Amino acid sequence: MRVIFLFALVLFIFPLSGQLPNGFVRELIATDLNPTSLAQSKDGRIFIIEKHGVIRVVRDHQVLDEPFLIIEVDDSNEKGLGHMVLHPDFHNNGYVYVYFSVPDKRFNRISRWTANGDKVIPGSEKIILDMDEIGADIHNGGAMVFGHDGYLYISSGDGSQSWVGEDLASTNAKILRITDEGEPVPDNPFFNLNLGRANLVYATGLRNPFTMTIHPGNGKIYANDVGQSTWEEINRIEKGAFYGWPRIEGKKNGQDLPSEYLDPVYQYHHSNKYCAVVGSTFYLPEVQQFPQEYSGRYFYSDYCTGHIRMLNAETGEDLGIFMTDGDRVVDLLVNNEGSLYYLERRGLGDASHEDNGSTTNGNLWKISYTGAGTPFISVQPKSVLVVDGEDATFNVSATGAFPLTYRWFVDDVEMVTENVPSFTLINVSTALDSSVIRVEISNDFGLVSSETAILRVTSNNRPIPNILLPIEGDTYVAGNTLHFSGAGSDEEDGVLNSDAFEWKIDFHHGSHSHPSMPWTESIQSGQWIIPSIGETASDVFYRIYLRMTDSYGLVKTVHRDVFPQLGSLEVRTSPPGLIMHIDGSPVETPHVVEGVKGVSRYISPPYTQIKGDSIYFFEQWQDGSKVRIKDVQTGDQNQEFVCQFEGFRRGYGVGLTASYYENIGFMGPPLVNGIDSTIDYQWYLQAPHPILPKDHFSIKWKGYIQAYKSALYRFIAFVDDGAHLEIDGQEVFHDWGPGLNYVTGYKYLEASRLYPIELMMYDLEWTSQIKFRWSSDDFVEEIVPASQLYPSDYYSSNLSSTILSVKSVTDNELQVFSKGLKTIRMDFTITSVSGLTYLYDDYIVPVGENVLTLNIGHLVPGAYFMTGIDPLTNEKAVVKFVKVK
């Protein structure tokens, strides 16, 4: 009779999605973790870094009882103990470096400890580097790798202050490079820049590079940068590079970016629940366990989907999905024996008990390749405690060659089930208490039987939790205090005291969540201050959890959601249609943005921006304030902020005349002559031209320079070795000593006037580079653009470039033959005999005879006039042509 009863209780459930490729098996190594990242030593030990300040050691697949390190951290929201790296000589010196959030402070720190065996030596901490303050409890970054050069590379997040991505004075939103003692490296690209801590900076413009990976063979470093709203980036880190934040996320798409900008190697979109690129590793172990096709692949994980994907990091080719059923996979590593380990925080943004704040449900998994396809149980069925009349569900997770067959047994009696890795007994009774559950899994290659699980059924009742505050329908404003309180009872225990209570608060944004208050035990009421800085989106809310446990161990959890009050603000410019930055993201004005009331928003104009033939400078806000960054809060009423700009026509230059010499004294005829549009070069150990030597050369640039507007300009040369600048016959700067030099000088320039300029540099030996920049009170330092530089022959003739003839090549193309007596940017128009204008555009006309091809497919047959105008001299050339058909 009992067997028949059991058959009636079976509820069929679809199998869990996601399988590894055939031949791969998965094994659960460690559970009950609060993990953030992984590290490993050459002797095979794996270190699990936990958010609340604990590092654990896994030796021979066993988590050691004694932690490796326990330190005090601030683990609120996304802060905590983030990452750890071992010194390259760890087996001799025992040095380990940890990145963590300092308690009661608003900054992150890197400390070095000395290990002795499986524990650090108490009191051995040495503070290596304290980072700059952050603006919120998110975007901490913190990944660290030792490069093949022996230096420590550190990734830092923007701390919710996006503008620091371009601030060389700040340590945040960067890749930093230091010695193992915490000192800046002398050949860092901004080592001699006397600005904040720019001497630590190796690369700039990153938002939240939470993880980094180094290629074991070639030493190239890759940073995974978590995006804002659209793109996730995998960036190859190069010296002095700028990776776009906060100007853009994802690859360049027409934006005006500095020459040091680098596109990500790979990007992927926030679609299909993808949200954040996190763990990564190269598959290049000492022992190649996986099939040869996996060798060299870049494995990376997405936090929201739990997918592990593969990439050719050299070419950016997407190599597809490796695993689909992870649960908040935060980090990956490959051990020496060729197995792939992955670390889960668990709780896939589905309002489950697990979350990414202070979880105790994290797992460490090991993926191996067996090739045989035999079934392998990676997660055994767990014992279950339920109340009389409830359902009891058992799960197993297995890998192996498809198809897999699942046979479930209760007290060795086989259940009639579908072929599923999960089944549920419905409405169980105490008669089933202590039943033994197991499953057999088989395929064409073999059979494996699971460990047994025990079904416990009690007549006790679960506790009844009740959230009193906040009440249903409560709303919040940023900066408010969120009060929570509850009551609870149990049929057997009566009214429950505070020991039975646990509270947690999650902050939900879109389809994912962030931790706010971790599980807090033994309080019946409390409060949480809602921050006014951080996430600026409007699709957010707070979820308050109350979990109660009775004396028998039965648990019940309830939750309540509190949604925000919303407001809006409008940003406009004068003149209209210019670009502004709201919370670091560029928008075209006028722009209206909605957000939570009370949340701090940052509105800022670019120092300069180009629209058409004009360049615009920030002048002031409509209220007269000249402070560029405006800190505002979304309020009850629609607020309007108008930013006023001053516009000037851009120059029509194309660059300076360059002469390259094969000696350091500008002696003899130059080996190379030409026009350099900008002086922005980092040759390092390469020659600047194939026919020049890589050392002992000099370069002279001559021509004319034109200011944007009348102002005192600061000129800068970042050069190796010496540099000399003259403008209008006056020396602006001179530093002719060898080595890496940061040279500056000042010169007042009037608008529109062209000043003679001569810039010289030489390279003695070793590395070579030069960056010629300028700035003023109106704009930040930038490479002097080609539009403001003119070659030395610009005034060699009073004649402008001349249109000699035109020729219709096809029905849709027109060839314009011209002779340029100086390199200019010429305005072209095509008008009909009746005076209608059909084309207006400008083209660079170089020195000499040239042919330009224009598209005239939109013109109807007839007679037309082609007009070319030199905008600076207004000299005009007109030629008539006829379009036949």
Side-chain angles (χ1 to χ4, degrees):
M1 291 297 294
R2 189 181 185 198
V3 173
I4 297 173
F5 178 64
L6 285 173
F7 287 168
L9 298 180
V10 174
L11 170 67
F12 301 114
I13 297 179
F14 289 106
L16 298 174
S17 63
Q19 270 283 351
L20 293 166
N22 285 341
F24 288 89
V25 297
R26 178 167 43 188
E27 183 178 359
L28 186 59
I29 302 299
T31 61
D32 304 326
L33 303 172
N34 182 15
T36 55
S37 61
L38 291 169
Q40 67 174 324
S41 57
K42 292 181 179 179
D43 61 13
R45 284 178 294 169
I46 293 177
F47 299 83
I48 302 174
I49 295 86
E50 298 195 88
K51 190 173 183 291
H52 56 290
V54 177
I55 298 177
R56 301 190 180 277
V57 178
V58 178
R59 182 189 287 277
D60 299 325
H61 291 179
Q62 297 294 319
V63 180
L64 303 188
D65 292 336
E66 291 292 323
F68 178 74
L69 172 67
I70 301 177
I71 59 173
E72 185 181 359
V73 302
D74 176 358
D75 66 344
S76 59
N77 208 330
E78 294 180 5
K79 295 197 293 188
L81 177 56
H83 299 271
M84 163 187 166
V85 68
L86 306 180
H87 191 280
D89 198 26
F90 170 74
H91 65 287
N92 288 321
N93 59 31
Y95 289 164
V96 298
Y97 298 74
V98 295
Y99 186 104
F100 65 98
S101 304
V102 181
D104 303 319
K105 304 289 184 182
R106 296 193 64 85
F107 62 82
N108 294 297
R109 169 176 291 167
I110 299 165
S111 287
R112 188 181 75 195
W113 295 76
T114 302
N116 181 16
D118 291 325
K119 298 187 70 174
V120 301
I121 299 172
S124 64
E125 180 185 18
K126 176 182 179 179
I127 297 174
I128 294 296
L129 182 67
D130 281 345
M131 312 291 283
D132 290 345
E133 287 194 2
I134 56 177
D137 294 340
I138 58 177
H139 302 178
N140 294 279
M144 298 177 291
V145 298
F146 270 97
H148 285 192
D149 55 10
Y151 297 124
L152 179 59
Y153 292 75
I154 306 154
S155 70
S156 60
D158 69 7
S160 197
Q161 295 173 317
S162 57
W163 59 88
V164 299
E166 294 187 271
D167 182 3
L168 289 175
S170 172
T171 61
N172 296 337
K174 308 289 190 302
I175 301 296
L176 309 177
R177 185 172 70 150
I178 60 175
T179 69
D180 58 0
E181 295 292 331
E183 297 299 321
V185 180
D187 72 338
N188 280 349
F190 311 104
F191 182 80
N192 289 315
L193 179 61
N194 187 23
L195 181 67
R197 292 197 282 175
N199 57 353
L200 302 171
V201 174
Y202 189 78
T204 64
L206 295 139
R207 180 177 181 266
N208 186 21
F210 182 70
T211 50
M212 283 196 300
T213 301
I214 185 168
H215 190 287
N218 59 34
K220 292 180 180 178
I221 296 172
Y222 293 79
N224 306 306
D225 197 12
V226 178
Q228 183 179 39
S229 57
T230 309
W231 296 106
E232 297 301 299
E233 298 182 3
I234 297 174
N235 293 286
R236 184 183 298 118
I237 300 305
E238 301 287 351
K239 183 177 182 179
F242 170 63
Y243 292 95
W245 184 253
R247 299 199 194 184
I248 63 169
E249 59 174 359
K251 294 187 177 182
K252 182 177 180 181
N253 187 22
Q255 297 90 346
D256 185 18
L257 297 170
S259 59
E260 56 265 33
Y261 169 78
L262 280 183
D263 263 343
V265 171
Y266 182 73
Q267 65 179 25
Y268 67 86
H269 193 265
H270 286 188
S271 57
N272 300 319
K273 297 184 179 180
Y274 282 88
C275 80
V277 59
V278 278
S280 63
T281 187
F282 281 96
Y283 192 78
L284 284 166
E286 293 180 6
V287 177
Q288 175 85 29
Q289 180 193 120
F290 288 10
Q292 184 59 36
E293 65 195 81
Y294 291 94
S295 180
R297 290 187 176 184
Y298 186 85
F299 287 78
Y300 67 95
S301 61
D302 181 82
Y303 190 57
C304 289
T305 63
H307 290 181
I308 297 177
R309 299 186 65 99
M310 299 172 292
L311 179 74
N312 183 324
E314 194 65 34
T315 66
E317 179 188 0
D318 179 17
L319 300 176
I321 299 176
F322 179 71
M323 189 190 79
T324 61
D325 60 347
D327 197 343
R328 293 191 179 188
V329 178
V330 291
D331 206 5
L332 310 169
L333 67 79
V334 174
N335 73 349
N336 294 335
E337 286 72 38
S339 294
L340 173 66
Y341 289 79
Y342 70 91
L343 191 63
E344 294 180 312
R345 281 193 65 79
R346 298 187 64 79
L348 197 55
D350 56 0
S352 63
H353 294 175
E354 304 86 4
D355 71 325
N356 66 334
S358 186
T359 183
T360 57
N361 296 284
N363 293 328
L364 175 64
W365 294 85
K366 174 185 176 182
I367 297 175
S368 304
Y369 182 74
T370 64
T374 304
F376 181 87
I377 296 177
S378 48
V379 179
Q380 300 286 346
K382 297 292 193 300
S383 296
V384 173
L385 170 64
V386 296
V387 174
D388 186 13
E390 292 183 342
D391 300 341
T393 299
F394 297 85
N395 297 291
V396 68
S397 181
T399 57
F402 281 129
L404 292 173
T405 300
Y406 298 83
R407 299 170 60 207
W408 288 93
F409 295 83
V410 178
D411 290 335
D412 289 327
V413 177
E414 184 176 355
M415 299 293 95
V416 178
T417 67
E418 292 187 4
N419 184 26
V420 291
S422 174
F423 82 97
T424 297
L425 298 173
I426 302 173
N427 191 24
V428 298
S429 71
T430 54
L432 296 178
D433 184 43
S434 299
S435 294
V436 178
I437 314 298
R438 67 181 179 88
V439 60
E440 290 183 355
I441 306 169
S442 61
N443 62 11
D444 292 340
F445 296 91
L447 178 147
V448 62
S449 183
S450 75
E451 297 174 2
T452 59
I454 305 299
L455 170 61
R456 298 302 310 274
V457 185
T458 178
S459 58
N460 278 12
N461 293 279
R462 291 188 186 274
I464 304 173
N466 182 22
I467 296 177
L468 303 177
L469 286 177
I471 63 174
E472 196 72 43
D474 270 358
T475 59
Y476 72 88
V477 172
N480 284 0
T481 300
L482 180 63
H483 296 273
F484 57 88
S485 67
S489 61
D490 182 79
E491 189 169 325
E492 292 77 26
D493 297 341
V495 176
L496 296 174
N497 61 28
S498 60
D499 290 340
F501 286 71
E502 291 179 273
W503 294 89
K504 183 183 76 162
I505 302 174
D506 275 354
F507 176 67
H508 284 254
H509 170 214
S511 62
H512 63 280
S513 65
H514 299 267
S516 290
M517 186 183 81
W519 281 113
T520 304
E521 301 177 350
S522 303
I523 58 170
Q524 287 188 238
S525 63
Q527 61 186 35
W528 174 260
I529 298 175
I530 299 174
S532 57
I533 57 176
E535 182 56 60
T536 58
S538 58
D539 58 339
V540 296
F541 64 91
Y542 282 92
R543 177 163 287 174
I544 298 95
Y545 293 91
L546 170 58
R547 181 166 68 190
M548 303 192 73
T549 307
D550 67 13
S551 60
Y552 196 76
L554 292 169
V555 177
K556 188 170 183 180
T557 303
V558 294
H559 70 264
R560 180 155 294 156
D561 295 338
V562 182
F563 290 89
Q565 299 176 33
L566 301 178
S568 63
L569 56 87
E570 182 177 5
V571 180
R572 297 193 292 112
T573 58
S574 176
L578 297 181
I579 298 297
M580 293 288 289
H581 289 94
I582 300 179
D583 304 318
S585 296
V587 298
E588 185 175 349
T589 60
H591 186 83
V592 177
V593 61
E594 185 182 59
V596 177
K597 289 182 183 178
V599 169
S600 292
R601 313 297 294 262
Y602 298 94
I603 310 173
S604 61
Y607 283 97
T608 61
Q609 59 182 295
I610 295 169
K611 186 176 182 180
D613 287 336
S614 298
I615 184 167
Y616 293 90
F617 294 84
F618 166 68
E619 186 176 13
Q620 64 180 16
W621 295 91
Q622 193 175 44
D623 61 8
S625 171
K626 293 185 178 293
V627 178
R628 197 174 69 89
I629 299 175
K630 217 173 201 18
D631 184 357
V632 301
Q633 290 184 333
T634 311
D636 293 322
Q637 304 296 323
N638 180 37
Q639 304 170 81
E640 182 181 272
F641 299 92
V642 181
C643 189
Q644 297 175 344
F645 290 83
E646 185 180 15
F648 297 86
R649 188 182 181 93
R650 280 198 306 158
Y652 286 87
V654 293
L656 296 177
T657 301
S659 300
Y660 290 72
Y661 298 84
E662 60 178 335
N663 53 73
I664 63 172
F666 309 95
M667 297 178 294
L671 286 189
V672 180
N673 288 296
I675 294 177
D676 287 349
S677 58
T678 55
I679 293 89
D680 179 22
Y681 298 110
Q682 288 182 301
W683 300 292
Y684 293 128
L685 300 178
Q686 303 297 317
H689 191 277
I691 67 172
L692 283 169
K694 64 179 182 180
D695 293 314
H696 293 276
F697 64 82
S698 55
I699 310 172
K700 182 183 295 183
W701 292 275
K702 297 187 69 174
Y704 303 89
I705 188 168
Q706 181 183 19
Y708 291 133
K709 58 183 291 190
S710 298
L712 179 66
Y713 285 76
R714 180 175 183 244
F715 290 91
I716 307 102
F718 188 69
V719 64
D720 193 345
D721 289 291
H724 173 88
L725 175 66
E726 290 183 10
I727 297 178
D728 204 20
Q730 176 186 348
E731 181 181 294
V732 178
F733 59 63
H734 178 85
D735 191 331
W736 216 242
L740 189 63
N741 295 304
Y742 186 81
V743 196
T744 64
Y746 292 86
K747 174 70 175 174
Y748 185 87
L749 302 180
E750 297 178 1
S752 301
R753 179 181 166 188
L754 271 63
Y755 291 84
I757 182 174
E758 183 174 81
L759 173 66
M760 297 186 291
M761 68 89 66
Y762 80 93
D763 174 69
L764 188 61
E765 60 183 2
W766 200 234
T767 64
S768 59
Q769 60 183 308
I770 183 168
K771 290 178 174 289
F772 181 46
R773 301 175 181 261
W774 66 353
S775 66
S776 77
D777 290 340
D778 299 297
F779 65 97
V780 295
E781 184 179 313
E782 66 175 12
I783 295 292
V784 182
S787 63
Q788 310 307 120
L789 299 173
Y790 300 81
S792 58
D793 63 351
Y794 190 79
Y795 285 122
S796 62
S797 170
N798 292 326
L799 298 176
S800 65
S801 295
T802 302
I803 298 175
L804 303 177
S805 63
V806 295
K807 176 183 178 182
S808 182
V809 179
T810 68
D811 295 341
N812 298 320
E813 291 182 342
L814 181 73
Q815 281 191 341
V816 180
F817 297 84
S818 67
K819 184 176 182 180
L821 300 176
K822 57 179 177 289
T823 300
I824 65 168
R825 192 184 299 267
M826 178 177 281
D827 290 341
F828 286 97
T829 60
I830 295 176
T831 56
S832 67
V833 292
S834 60
L836 295 177
T837 300
Y838 288 92
L839 178 143
Y840 177 81
D841 210 342
D842 56 18
Y843 293 86
I844 294 176
V845 179
V847 175
E849 295 187 1
N850 303 280
V851 179
L852 302 174
T853 301
L854 306 181
N855 188 335
I856 58 171
H858 59 292
L859 300 181
V860 298
Y864 296 89
F865 293 98
M866 163 67 72
T867 303
I869 303 175
D870 183 337
L872 288 180
T873 64
N874 289 320
E875 293 187 39
K876 182 184 300 185
V878 181
V879 174
K880 184 178 180 180
F881 72 93
V882 175
K883 184 180 181 185
V884 179
K885 60 178 182 178

